[in-house]
Amino acid sequence: MSILTHLRDVVIGALCLASWVGVGGSCRADSDARPNVLVILTDDQGWGDLSLHGNPNLQTPHIDSLARDGVQIQNFYVCAVCSPTRAEFLTGRYHTRSGVFSTSAGGERIDAAERTIGDAFQNAGYATAAFGKWHSGMQAPYHPNSRGFEEFYGFCSGHWGNYFSPMLEHNGEIVQGKGFIVDDLTNHAIDFMEQHRTDPFFVYLPLNTPHSPMQVPDEDWKEFEGKDIVPDPSPENAKQEDLQHTRAALALCENIDDNVGRLLEALDRLSLSENTIVVFFCDNGPNGSRFNGGLRGRKGAVHEGGLRSPCLIRYPEEIQAGRTVGGIAGAIDLFPTLADLCGVEVGATAGPLDGMSLKGVLNDPKEVPVQRLIFTAWKGKLSVRSNQYRYHPNGDLFDLQADPGETRSVAKEHPETAARMKRALEDWAQETKPRERNYTEEQVFPVGHPDQVWTQLPARDAQATGQVRRSNRFPNSSYMTHWHSEEDAVTWDVDVLAGGQFEVEVHYACPESAVGTQLNLEWKQGNRTAATESVVTVANPSGAIHLDKDRSKRVESDEKRWAKMSLGRITLSEGRGRLSLTCPRIMGEDGERRGVEIRLMMLHRVPAE
């Protein structure tokens, strides 16, 4: 965290203090006021990535303080990867019910019929905001502004290719971030809380680290460059560890902790700490084989190491500090729990909630956690957790009280328990129908929602023909490149929700030699067609940016500094059709210095006259 960022927080605190003195305490929440909510979700940070859980390789004092000053849920479960966890948090229902089956290109979208926690709190009069990685749908009605969050700053994709002053969006419009992305997102959360200090607010802060690419600011990297690392007690985890990746991940975790500290300091300055519920949890297991308390598996696994997450909840006005809550709980419980704590009606959901309110066990140390089952599925892998055991479809049953590392199956010693959990898992799978590993479905992307001005159509959601290819096999944050033939095209299958006229702009890169390349956009819907075109007049020879901040080899696409150009206006008729972007004339030298690269197309509705 930079000195400028720290000074900025001091100034905000001083301004708030002056305001509080001047208006008789407007920064201080009334004791009878509805509580505020701040939910911090991190990306690919495992259960073991906290000093609270015995990791000797890093220090996370600010996150740990939430356990000291609040409660920690001892056995808290999320999903094997990120988009399902977000769906379960936002809806209180298993992701298998809400249409989520992938992490990219539309498979991450929560069905439009689902009611979200944002909807509930917004309807209750809360000021609602989300800052960070949304990863639950990009275009309205899946966009956060359409799911109960009046303010959104961040990105909607599953990962991002650059963490330093990156291209982001603010309520649908493309903007450029300022500084390291996690610091920037935290700044926006602090600003929002300061602006709404006299209102009840619900802030959702889904930070996007330590997800790769493993880009770390210099000041955070200094401590970890070349650092000796204590391996996980599990030999299997230890032998697979990539030390450089681990160092980068831990540096990013300490950066997160610094920013959690800034958030807590801001609540103190604003006199909101007592009446603000702060929740911290992670979206899946660690994105590498590193210290995880000996738990089996990592991100993507349906064992404890892939599913167990920290869950820390601080609410000084109501929750006794320093307690550990037993039993089991999960991301599905946070919607009903927060609604219950705040007196907010959940409202009419798409179906019964799978989660339950934890208010009783949070508030009353004497209340005994209920006996229950929590199910999980991802890409054909399933398991079910009871208060004591985890069962897998291959017949393995692990006693997690005696064997949290899932090293020895006790199915033969407890055949009735294994049979009971097997039946429960089969019944749940029959009811919710989790998708198999290779499941795919045609993806059509909504355009022109009547309540939204902007629609994004990234290369991520497009298909390419001919020689054009994606910059990386992972679609998120990729771009289209090698556009060397006039016969090639990039296409989007879309559903225009409300017809009209739209301004079109593309975000592109190209060498000087490609100036003069012609771009043509055609809309085809049955026999109806419309088109617009333009010519590249300004070169944008951007190469990959900020790769010097990659502390471990990346697997994702690189990112560039994209330029914008207008393609003019096009009229789109309501209903399904195809948008095709072609290059009828391609300028430039043969090979890499020919043609354009496309990252994103934006549609902006033209107001009706």
Side-chain angles (χ1 to χ4, degrees):
M1 183 176 62
S2 69
I3 294 175
L4 288 176
T5 299
H6 176 72
L7 290 175
R8 168 194 169 282
D9 293 345
V10 172
V11 170
I12 287 177
L15 290 173
C16 183
L17 178 61
S19 174
W20 181 77
V21 172
V23 298
S26 65
C27 283
R28 183 179 299 278
D30 295 332
S31 60
D32 296 329
R34 290 182 294 176
N36 305 301
V37 180
L38 170 60
V39 177
I40 306 163
L41 172 62
T42 63
D43 195 7
D44 287 1
Q45 182 176 15
W47 180 87
D49 286 329
L50 299 176
S51 51
L52 174 70
H53 291 153
N55 192 328
N57 299 305
L58 82 169
Q59 294 298 316
T60 52
H62 301 107
I63 298 171
D64 296 357
S65 77
L66 296 173
R68 181 195 66 220
D69 301 333
V71 301
Q72 62 172 316
I73 298 176
Q74 186 172 11
N75 300 296
F76 185 85
Y77 294 96
V78 292
C79 299
V81 294
C82 34
S83 53
T85 292
R86 285 160 169 74
E88 296 191 359
F89 160 66
L90 289 167
T91 67
R93 289 158 46 83
Y94 288 117
H95 75 274
T96 49
R97 301 188 194 275
S98 62
V100 175
F101 66 90
S102 176
T103 58
S104 187
E108 80 284 8
R109 296 184 297 201
I110 300 172
D111 288 342
E114 295 286 341
R115 181 174 176 82
T116 73
I117 194 170
D119 294 325
F121 276 81
Q122 185 177 56
N123 290 347
Y126 274 68
T128 56
F131 303 108
K133 171 181 164 177
W134 174 246
H135 202 194
S136 296
M138 184 169 293
Q139 301 87 5
Y142 307 105
H143 188 275
N145 289 148
S146 301
R147 308 307 304 242
F149 294 95
E150 64 193 64
E151 179 77 4
F152 175 68
Y153 177 82
F155 62 93
C156 291
S157 193
H159 67 253
W160 220 228
N162 169 41
Y163 292 172
F164 293 88
S165 298
M167 177 176 70
L168 297 172
E169 67 147 295
H170 179 217
N171 295 335
E173 187 172 2
I174 299 300
V175 297
Q176 184 170 330
K178 296 180 180 180
F180 184 64
I181 187 169
V182 175
D183 301 341
D184 189 21
L185 298 172
T186 302
N187 289 344
H188 279 76
I190 291 171
D191 288 345
F192 188 86
M193 294 190 299
E194 196 274 336
Q195 292 162 11
H196 295 277
R197 62 188 180 275
T198 59
D199 310 315
F201 59 74
F202 183 100
V203 172
Y204 172 39
L205 184 58
L207 302 174
N208 63 301
T209 59
H211 195 295
S212 57
M214 310 306 288
Q215 293 194 316
V216 184
D218 292 340
E219 58 267 33
D220 296 300
W221 181 239
K222 290 176 183 176
E223 178 187 345
F224 287 91
E225 185 174 13
K227 181 182 176 70
D228 291 336
I229 298 296
V230 177
D232 189 72
S234 163
E236 188 67 23
N237 287 346
K239 74 179 182 181
Q240 296 182 36
E241 185 165 19
D242 178 339
L243 291 177
Q244 191 72 350
H245 187 278
T246 292
R247 293 181 182 109
L250 297 178
L252 290 168
C253 289
E254 286 205 354
N255 172 272
I256 290 170
D257 187 75
D258 289 342
N259 280 291
V260 170
R262 293 175 55 218
L263 292 161
L264 300 181
E265 289 170 5
L267 291 174
D268 286 342
R269 289 196 306 270
L270 298 171
S271 299
L272 295 176
S273 294
E274 291 295 311
N275 196 39
T276 298
I277 303 168
V278 179
V279 180
F280 177 91
F281 72 114
C282 309
D283 66 351
N284 44 245
N287 57 346
S289 297
R290 56 182 181 264
F291 183 93
N292 202 25
L295 300 180
R296 180 176 175 180
R298 46 170 285 186
K299 176 183 180 179
V302 294
H303 290 272
E304 288 286 294
L307 303 172
R308 189 176 178 188
S309 163
C311 184
L312 313 174
I313 303 176
R314 190 189 79 170
Y315 181 16
E317 271 195 3
E318 285 200 16
I319 296 177
Q320 181 181 327
R323 292 175 47 231
T324 297
V325 173
I328 59 173
I332 52 174
D333 299 326
L334 292 176
F335 182 176
T337 298
L338 292 171
D340 200 5
L341 287 169
C342 297
V344 167
E345 290 290 334
V346 169
T349 57
L353 295 187
D354 294 304
M356 58 184 289
S357 174
L358 306 174
K359 180 179 178 179
V361 292
L362 292 176
N363 284 352
D364 185 357
K366 297 179 180 179
E367 184 159 330
V368 178
V370 300
Q371 297 290 320
R372 62 188 297 204
L373 299 176
I374 293 180
F375 300 91
T376 196
W378 187 247
K379 297 294 185 182
K381 300 175 290 187
L382 296 84
S383 69
V384 56
R385 170 73 149 99
S386 72
N387 289 47
Q388 183 171 353
Y389 298 98
R390 182 171 295 280
Y391 175 82
H392 296 268
N394 66 354
D396 282 343
L397 179 74
F398 297 102
D399 182 348
L400 298 176
Q401 293 179 1
D403 178 26
E406 295 176 275
T407 61
R408 189 180 75 86
S409 175
V410 295
K412 291 182 179 180
E413 291 97 315
H414 302 279
E416 293 182 358
T417 299
R420 184 171 63 252
M421 293 183 73
K422 178 177 184 289
R423 286 193 301 271
L425 184 58
E426 290 173 346
D427 290 347
W428 177 82
Q430 180 66 30
E431 178 187 350
T432 70
K433 297 178 173 53
R435 307 296 201 270
E436 293 299 320
R437 178 177 179 80
N438 296 319
Y439 175 84
T440 60
E441 63 182 47
E442 179 187 14
Q443 293 299 308
V444 179
F445 298 93
V447 164
H449 190 284
D451 296 334
Q452 301 295 332
V453 174
W454 293 94
T455 300
Q456 304 179 52
L457 289 174
R460 184 200 79 156
D461 296 342
Q463 300 298 317
T465 67
Q467 299 177 48
V468 179
R469 65 174 185 251
R470 200 177 297 283
S471 59
N472 189 274
R473 67 189 180 93
F474 298 114
N476 287 317
S477 202
S478 65
Y479 54 91
M480 294 298 184
T481 185
H482 289 75
W483 204 330
H484 300 157
S485 170
E486 288 83 355
E487 304 300 317
D488 297 343
V490 173
T491 65
W492 292 265
D493 290 327
V494 303
D495 183 9
V496 179
L497 303 182
Q501 195 174 49
F502 295 84
E503 295 273 2
V504 184
E505 65 180 29
V506 294
H507 293 241
Y508 75 100
C510 74
E512 187 71 39
S513 61
V515 170
T517 295
Q518 180 180 336
L519 291 172
N520 182 83
L521 179 66
E522 182 184 47
W523 164 243
K524 189 169 184 180
Q525 184 186 59
N527 294 325
R528 294 182 180 179
T529 62
T532 185
E533 64 183 41
S534 188
V535 174
V536 177
T537 59
V538 179
N540 179 35
S542 173
I545 57 174
H546 295 303
L547 294 184
D548 61 310
K549 304 301 184 188
D550 286 14
R551 311 303 181 175
S552 179
K553 185 177 179 180
R554 72 166 58 206
V555 296
E556 298 85 1
S557 174
D558 62 87
E559 190 62 275
K560 301 189 175 186
R561 195 66 74 194
W562 304 99
K564 292 189 296 185
M565 66 173 283
S566 172
L567 287 187
R569 294 184 176 186
I570 193 169
T571 299
L572 305 180
S573 46
E574 184 175 327
R576 288 186 58 172
R578 174 169 289 182
L579 285 165
S580 298
L581 189 64
T582 58
C583 289
R585 182 176 70 248
I586 299 177
M587 305 299 291
E589 306 166 11
D590 290 338
E592 298 296 323
R593 297 186 60 78
R594 178 172 165 84
V596 298
E597 295 174 320
I598 300 295
R599 174 67 171 78
L600 171 69
M601 184 166 70
M602 294 291 292
L603 303 178
H604 181 261
R605 181 181 292 279
V606 177
E609 296 181 358

